[in-house]
Amino acid sequence: MAVDELQAIIQRCQILEEADFKGEDFNLFQVAGQKCLEDGYAAQLLEVIQNEKNKVIIENMGWNLISPLVRCIFMYKQEDDKREYCLKILDQLAQLCNPKELFLGLLEQIEQASGEQVCQTVMLLLQPLQTVLLKLQNKKAYSVGLSLAMIMNQLTPLPVPYTKQQLQEDKLGLCQCCNAVVDFAKPFVNEVVKNMEKSSEYNDMELKEELLKFCMKSLKYPLLTAPLEQLEDIEEHPFRHFATEIIDILWDIRELIPLVFLHRKGKSPHWENQEFADIERNNSADSLACLSYLMFVQHFGIDCFPMVFSPSYLLQYNMTHIGVLLKRTEESMLSKGLDLFESCLWRMEDNSLLHQYLELRDFINIPQDLVKVMTLCPIEHLRKKSLNILQLFIDKFDAEGKYTLFRCLLKTSNHAGVEGYIIKNIKDQIHLSLTKACDNIWFTGHHLISLLDLVLLLPEGAETDLLQNSDRIMASLNLLRYLVIKDCESDNQTGVWTVLAKIEQNFLKPLHVGLNMSKAHYEAEIRNKKENRREAHSSNTVCSVTVSGEKMPAMTTEMQLQVLHSALFTFDLIESVLARVEELIEVKIKAVMDEN
């Protein structure tokens, strides 16, 4: 019987001195204890462990039971009495065993857990692990750091619940586990706080550094990925609670403000391998970006924040973090970047951002990142939001800032729709300049003429793909039509009449030629398709279309004809606006000549 075997080993070891225990004794004790657990004799094993006579044996050998004990706990159902006995044994081992040996045994079990058992194992072993760490005297900070790092490394591969339903189900137990880990860390936080209160020159930085590393890891995972907006029907949002706890820890150990303002990253290891150094730097950037999002969007820890900074400074400070988030493709991170950018811009008044800020690299790069989101992101609501934020960003600059930003975006966006949008903004600024009492030099006169050189031209002359560039061409024609109507040749406030010949040469004439070529080409294509359709046995003849390397659904001849007719309609639309512009120019010139 398993219990008898265990008793025999115990009796033999009771007469031995601690120093005389051999490897064989450890193995026999482990095998007999494991057999007791597997055969259902957990109650009897608990009695053996609680027996005062066996204290020395359990202190030295008890940690060997951790592995079979964890297996049995997961094997038994919640309501099973044997499971209760196993949990009591785990508690007793935490109290009685050699802390160093038990610490390694517990960490080994956490490291070996995988899949659905990761969170269950972590939550099962957090309490005994905390008990053991509190008893350690040597290398305590190192052991706490190792424990937190091991736990976070095990949790990181798990998917973070994102939808409301996933949060409520918490299928893998991640939400519950994250908050349990914070509770596990609290005694060590309290220890650091207590030591700092005793002395203003707190020198033992090791434990503080380990807690800081844990907070930085928590900011990257799960908080950077997690949804943090308040949800209906969820009284206590698990990740909002976790975020609050992490911010509280940073405040308690006096690292919140240094992290926010000084971008303090703690003691980063020196990596000889550049790849490892880059990973460390990127992880830190992600964590700090998440911290800014928590503070400035969700307002966690905002009460600790000194309200002495101007909105423009806060925007400048956050631009680095916004850039980090906008370069990500994951919806959760990209949306956090857009929210942070929007939040910073809403704090500012229109026309209050000085043009000098565009001398900073982030202020030029981030609008380009926004354009990429607008044009490449597959998620519609994020594309729309990025467009709104781009407009908000434009509105905040002074006149010279808007002018500089427009020039930059026209040169870098490489997207006809975005260029058309910028040209519409230029038209709005010209309108304000012409209707306001005060003169705006940036959207009239020689400055405007320089900007029009970028607007009123075809990128590749008459050979420009007019269909692909139709948004830009229509916006340019509408702008030119507005200038001709609004600005008389006698006033010439905008300077457009001075460069009219140049505009005709570089824009209007090539556009005429391009339209004639394009229409002829598409009309020929339509004729060919119609002839092919008559010759084919069926009008359902299909062709394949490839877009960005991906094969699109097959198109019938009817669908192809529909696309070609749509293109012709676009050319007709451009041609009608072009004709109207030329008519207006002719009328204005004739009126001046008659006057003279």
Side-chain angles (χ1 to χ4, degrees):
M1 188 176 169
V3 178
D4 295 334
E5 289 177 23
L6 181 64
Q7 288 289 4
I9 295 162
I10 291 290
Q11 286 170 7
R12 198 182 86 176
C13 291
Q14 279 177 343
I15 60 174
L16 296 175
E17 293 294 327
E18 187 178 339
D20 295 330
F21 291 155
K22 296 177 182 176
E24 183 187 356
D25 299 322
F26 285 85
N27 291 336
L28 289 171
F29 176 82
Q30 182 180 8
V31 170
Q34 181 174 333
K35 202 170 179 190
C36 284
L37 289 167
E38 290 171 351
D39 291 353
Y41 297 112
Q44 288 84 340
L45 179 59
L46 179 61
E47 287 179 17
V48 170
I49 291 171
Q50 288 176 328
N51 191 329
E52 189 68 26
K53 293 178 183 178
N54 303 329
K55 185 176 179 182
V56 176
I57 299 169
I58 300 303
E59 182 182 347
N60 287 276
M61 302 184 188
W63 65 273
N64 282 300
L65 296 174
I66 290 296
S67 179
L69 189 60
V70 170
R71 279 201 306 274
C72 287
I73 289 172
F74 288 136
M75 184 176 67
Y76 295 129
K77 293 181 180 177
Q78 286 282 348
E79 62 276 3
D80 198 320
D81 290 341
K82 291 171 187 172
R83 189 176 192 278
E84 265 316 302
Y85 286 122
C86 288
L87 291 171
K88 287 178 181 177
I89 291 170
L90 183 60
D91 182 57
Q92 284 295 305
L93 293 178
Q95 302 295 333
L96 300 172
C97 287
N98 180 308
K100 182 181 175 183
E101 301 291 352
L102 187 58
F103 167 69
L104 295 174
L106 292 169
L107 274 197
E108 185 181 17
Q109 290 306 300
I110 292 173
E111 185 179 21
Q112 290 175 354
S114 62
E116 294 183 2
Q117 284 202 332
V118 169
C119 290
Q120 295 175 36
T121 305
V122 169
M123 285 191 286
L124 173 68
L125 300 181
L126 277 178
Q127 188 57 57
L129 185 59
Q130 185 188 69
T131 303
V132 169
L133 287 169
L134 290 169
K135 289 163 70 176
L136 283 177
Q137 299 301 319
N138 298 324
K139 294 190 176 180
K140 184 175 185 177
Y142 169 79
S143 301
V144 170
L146 185 61
S147 302
L148 290 169
M150 177 74 71
I151 290 166
M152 295 308 292
N153 287 343
Q154 284 292 83
L155 295 180
T156 301
L158 300 179
V160 177
Y162 192 69
T163 66
K164 180 179 174 182
Q165 184 180 348
Q166 288 171 345
L167 283 169
Q168 288 173 324
E169 287 177 359
D170 193 18
K171 195 172 180 181
L172 296 178
L174 181 65
C175 302
Q176 187 181 352
C177 189
C178 286
N179 286 299
V181 175
V182 169
D183 292 335
F184 163 81
K186 280 182 179 176
F188 310 109
V189 175
N190 293 337
E191 185 177 326
V192 170
V193 171
K194 191 175 177 182
N195 287 332
M196 286 193 298
E197 286 173 351
K198 280 183 185 175
S199 169
S200 57
E201 298 179 5
Y202 175 54
N203 295 320
D204 183 13
M205 299 296 290
E206 288 185 20
L207 184 55
K208 183 178 175 181
E209 285 290 339
E210 296 299 345
L211 291 169
L212 178 58
K213 286 178 193 174
F214 163 65
C215 290
M216 292 290 279
K217 283 184 180 178
S218 299
L219 288 166
K220 180 173 171 61
Y221 176 93
L223 291 176
L224 187 60
T225 309
L228 292 164
E229 297 81 10
Q230 192 65 59
L231 298 171
E232 291 181 13
D233 305 326
I234 296 183
E235 285 186 21
E236 188 169 26
H237 191 306
F239 288 125
R240 287 181 68 85
H241 180 264
F242 183 64
T244 302
E245 295 285 359
I246 293 298
I247 295 291
D248 286 346
I249 290 174
L250 289 171
W251 176 254
D252 289 341
I253 64 174
R254 300 179 189 174
E255 288 295 340
L256 182 61
I257 301 302
L259 270 180
V260 172
F261 290 106
L262 306 178
H263 291 195
R264 184 195 187 290
K265 300 173 180 63
K267 291 180 182 174
S268 297
H270 175 71
W271 298 105
E272 291 183 5
N273 185 314
Q274 186 58 42
E275 186 180 349
F276 289 161
D278 291 342
I279 291 170
E280 180 78 20
R281 185 168 58 253
N282 290 339
N283 287 342
S284 180
D286 286 344
S287 300
L288 291 170
C290 184
L291 179 61
S292 271
Y293 170 81
L294 291 175
M295 288 199 73
F296 297 108
V297 179
Q298 297 298 335
H299 303 133
F300 291 111
I302 200 70
D303 294 343
C304 312
F305 192 80
M307 296 297 179
V308 294
F309 301 104
S310 68
S312 56
Y313 173 80
L314 291 179
L315 175 64
Q316 180 189 342
Y317 159 75
N318 277 307
M319 284 301 254
T320 303
H321 305 313
I322 292 164
V324 167
L325 295 172
L326 291 188
K327 284 180 174 61
R328 304 301 291 261
T329 54
E330 302 90 335
E331 180 182 0
S332 57
M333 300 180 197
L334 196 50
S335 64
K336 285 182 175 66
L338 292 173
D339 288 343
L340 181 57
F341 199 5
E342 185 179 48
S343 174
C344 291
L345 291 172
W346 276 122
R347 289 183 168 90
M348 305 186 67
E349 292 182 10
D350 287 353
N351 309 307
S352 65
L353 193 59
L354 301 177
H355 62 273
Q356 285 90 341
Y357 280 98
L358 287 169
E359 295 171 11
L360 302 173
R361 186 175 58 186
D362 285 334
F363 279 78
I364 289 293
N365 290 345
I366 285 173
Q368 295 174 43
D369 291 335
L370 266 183
V371 167
K372 288 176 185 173
V373 179
M374 287 160 50
T375 55
L376 301 175
C377 179
I379 304 164
E380 185 182 3
H381 74 92
L382 293 183
R383 291 200 303 272
K384 288 180 177 178
K385 184 163 188 170
S386 61
L387 177 61
N388 293 336
I389 291 172
L390 179 62
Q391 186 61 60
L392 202 58
F393 187 59
I394 291 168
D395 292 342
K396 301 308 169 185
F397 274 101
D398 59 17
E400 186 177 347
K402 288 184 176 74
Y403 178 87
T404 307
L405 190 57
F406 292 156
R407 290 188 69 90
C408 171
L409 289 172
L410 284 171
K411 288 179 179 179
T412 61
S413 66
N414 298 317
H415 189 280
V418 175
E419 289 164 3
Y421 187 79
I422 297 303
I423 292 167
K424 180 185 174 299
N425 264 276
I426 292 171
K427 175 174 161 289
D428 293 340
Q429 291 304 313
I430 295 169
H431 178 72
L432 286 173
S433 299
L434 294 176
T435 53
K436 274 185 178 179
C438 58
D439 186 28
N440 183 347
I441 62 168
W442 293 99
F443 292 96
T444 55
H446 71 276
H447 286 301
L448 177 59
I449 290 170
S450 174
L451 192 56
L452 292 179
D453 286 342
L454 296 174
V455 173
L456 300 176
L457 88 165
L458 294 178
E460 294 166 36
E463 295 178 357
T464 300
D465 185 334
L466 302 187
L467 197 60
Q468 188 175 336
N469 286 277
S470 60
D471 287 342
R472 177 198 168 105
I473 292 166
M474 286 297 291
S476 299
L477 286 171
N478 282 326
L479 171 58
L480 183 55
R481 179 172 60 178
Y482 171 83
L483 291 172
V484 171
I485 293 171
K486 204 75 179 174
D487 191 16
C488 298
E489 189 176 356
S490 55
D491 295 335
N492 198 21
Q493 286 178 269
T494 61
V496 69
W497 295 99
T498 309
V499 292
L500 189 58
K502 184 179 177 183
I503 292 169
E504 287 178 338
Q505 186 65 35
N506 293 343
F507 183 54
L508 300 181
K509 285 181 181 178
L511 184 55
H512 264 297
V513 176
L515 280 168
N516 292 334
M517 289 167 57
S518 297
K519 287 177 77 174
H521 172 73
Y522 276 82
E523 284 166 355
E525 279 291 313
I526 289 171
R527 284 195 299 273
N528 288 339
K529 294 293 176 190
K530 285 180 178 178
E531 286 172 14
N532 291 341
R533 183 176 62 180
R534 280 196 295 270
E535 291 170 8
H537 294 295
S538 167
S539 63
N540 290 326
T541 305
V542 297
C543 75
S544 62
V545 178
T546 302
V547 177
S548 300
E550 289 187 23
K551 198 168 182 181
M552 303 300 285
M555 291 178 70
T556 63
T557 304
E558 290 298 335
M559 293 164 71
Q560 294 171 52
L561 283 167
Q562 193 175 354
V563 169
L564 293 169
H565 280 295
S566 177
L568 277 180
F569 176 77
T570 302
F571 298 145
D572 287 341
L573 193 62
I574 293 172
E575 196 169 40
S576 68
V577 179
L578 174 59
R580 177 61 179 152
V581 169
E582 289 178 327
E583 181 188 339
L584 286 168
I585 292 171
E586 189 178 338
V587 168
K588 283 285 182 104
I589 291 173
K590 189 173 183 300
V592 171
M593 289 173 67
D594 290 346
E595 211 173 285
N596 291 338

